[in-house]
Amino acid sequence: MAGNRGIPPIALADGPAGLRLTKIFHTKDGELVNEFQTPTPDMERLLHYLPNDAVPAVDLKDTTEHYQYCTAITIDTLLAQTWDCERIRQAGEIVGREMELFGVSLWLAPGMNIQRDPLCGRNFEYYSEDPLVSGQCASACTAGVQSRPGVGITVKHFACNNQEDNRLGNNSHVSERALREIYLKGFEICVRQAQPKAMMTSYNLLNGVHTANNYDLLTAALRQEWGYRGIVMTDWGTTEESLICMLGANPFPNMKYPLAKASGCVKAGNDLTMPGAQGDIDDILYALRHEDAEYPLSLGEIQRCAGRMLEEIYSAF
């Protein structure tokens, strides 16, 4: 639909140790073959919950195989242990240059959650248990990547994503003082010093409200207090509709808390629901037309999110 309106697409690539691209892909008659890639063990684990026919087989006969690679950057924990923001900025600049080469607009990194517990499965992606160190490192990384025109970073996961197990069903209970002094402070430093182009919300609830649907977090604090000017996106499959679209089914049907709503994302100031689904569109349109919706929307609220997305897209060209 965006293409029909003359809006160019932008490409996103995951992190954190440099760009995480599919090593091998295929083309046929000059066109990319649409393959379902599972580059992470976590995705492989999720697939075990799905029906055997949920991921269709791809016929690779008469296709051409391609191999691609990029630079492996040191993990964020080790970068933080150097106490050298200039080196971190240089590492970010390497990523920014490779984003230009591969046509990537947004890098889904760095992760900068607090290393609260040594058992957190993604601590290696995060800088530190100290919010000041995390904020300064993320600011340096942002400055390095965004020194290249048209590319940007996506700091994540905003906020209080301090465990991996059951993170879609976790409700983090945090006092306002702890929230502001520990869990939000690194993000605030990065926003105020470096203005990252994008921010990614986390899967978890924060004091009973999904971060993706949290107006106080995404608008009152992030935009109004800190002066953030970029876009906010969800993590992949934050809404049930997007999760089903992405995996073919909801692998966690019996969670204690319902998943976030796309209409709630718009209401909170979350501009982009990933990967998006027809069900998300239907939910937003229902909320626009019905005052009894869980998150009733005005046209202006939708236009604000769309406007920020257009600004981000056209800044990449």
Side-chain angles (χ1 to χ4, degrees):
M1 186 175 294
N4 294 338
R5 289 167 170 78
I7 301 172
I10 59 174
L12 289 66
D14 215 343
L19 296 178
R20 195 177 81 192
L21 305 177
T22 300
K23 290 188 297 184
I24 296 173
F25 64 95
H26 297 81
T27 58
K28 186 173 184 178
D29 299 327
E31 298 291 329
L32 182 67
V33 176
N34 187 17
E35 302 174 69
F36 187 90
Q37 303 289 344
T38 58
T40 62
D42 193 50
M43 183 64 74
E44 295 284 359
R45 182 171 63 87
L46 286 174
L47 292 178
H48 290 304
Y49 291 91
L50 304 181
N52 291 332
D53 60 350
V55 182
V58 178
D59 183 9
L60 298 178
K61 183 180 179 181
D62 299 324
T63 63
T64 302
E65 184 174 280
H66 304 269
Y67 179 79
Q68 61 186 0
Y69 63 92
C70 51
T71 305
I73 303 296
T74 303
I75 62 170
D76 287 344
T77 302
L78 185 55
L79 286 174
Q81 289 173 345
T82 67
W83 297 81
D84 190 337
C85 285
E86 176 57 25
R87 295 298 183 193
I88 297 172
R89 189 200 65 78
Q90 291 173 359
E93 192 171 354
I94 292 172
V95 175
R97 288 201 302 269
E98 294 190 350
M99 291 172 70
E100 290 180 311
L101 291 173
F102 285 101
V104 174
S105 300
L106 285 176
W107 183 39
L108 304 180
M112 53 181 305
N113 292 113
I114 292 297
Q115 295 177 343
R116 180 178 181 273
D117 189 316
L119 298 180
C120 178
R122 290 171 74 177
N123 271 347
F124 69 95
E125 291 192 30
Y126 308 144
Y127 289 111
S128 174
E129 73 279 12
D130 184 281
L132 175 60
V133 174
S134 296
Q136 296 288 2
C137 291
S139 297
C141 177
T142 302
V145 173
Q146 296 186 177
S147 67
R148 314 303 298 181
V151 303
I153 64 119
T154 308
V155 292
K156 61 184 187 182
H157 308 85
F158 192 58
C160 297
N161 184 113
N162 302 109
Q163 68 181 57
E164 283 302 294
D165 188 42
N166 191 38
R167 60 186 178 140
L168 273 80
N170 176 52
N171 184 11
S172 300
H173 295 272
V174 190
S175 69
E176 183 171 0
R177 179 174 180 178
L179 188 62
R180 287 183 174 273
E181 293 184 358
I182 301 174
Y183 299 102
L184 298 186
K185 181 56 69 175
F187 291 100
E188 180 183 0
I189 292 170
C190 182
V191 166
R192 291 187 184 276
Q193 291 186 356
Q195 276 293 339
K197 285 198 169 188
M199 182 89 69
M200 182 188 293
T201 54
S202 52
Y203 287 123
N204 57 279
L205 290 78
L206 175 58
N207 294 329
V209 180
H210 280 285
T211 62
N213 292 168
N214 196 319
Y215 179 91
D216 288 342
L217 183 68
L218 305 183
T219 297
L222 179 62
R223 297 191 187 279
Q224 295 176 355
E225 288 189 29
W226 304 350
Y228 180 62
R229 300 189 298 271
I231 66 166
V232 177
M233 71 177 73
T234 69
D235 206 337
W236 269 236
T238 291
T239 67
E240 183 168 12
E241 291 79 6
S242 287
L243 190 65
I244 292 173
C245 177
M246 185 170 65
L247 299 177
N250 181 358
F252 310 112
N254 300 315
M255 290 192 299
K256 182 177 180 179
Y257 305 102
L259 294 172
K261 303 287 287 185
S263 55
C265 291
V266 174
K267 192 80 175 178
N270 196 330
D271 308 300
L272 179 61
T273 300
M274 294 301 297
Q278 183 60 48
D280 292 324
I281 298 173
D282 295 341
D283 177 55
I284 291 171
L285 292 178
Y286 182 90
L288 175 64
R289 296 163 180 164
H290 297 83
E291 293 184 357
D292 64 343
E294 184 177 359
Y295 298 98
L297 295 172
S298 68
L299 181 60
E301 288 171 319
I302 298 175
Q303 288 173 330
R304 276 195 292 272
C305 291
R308 287 191 288 258
M309 284 303 307
L310 289 173
E311 287 180 13
E312 171 59 39
I313 290 170
Y314 283 105
S315 73
F317 294 93

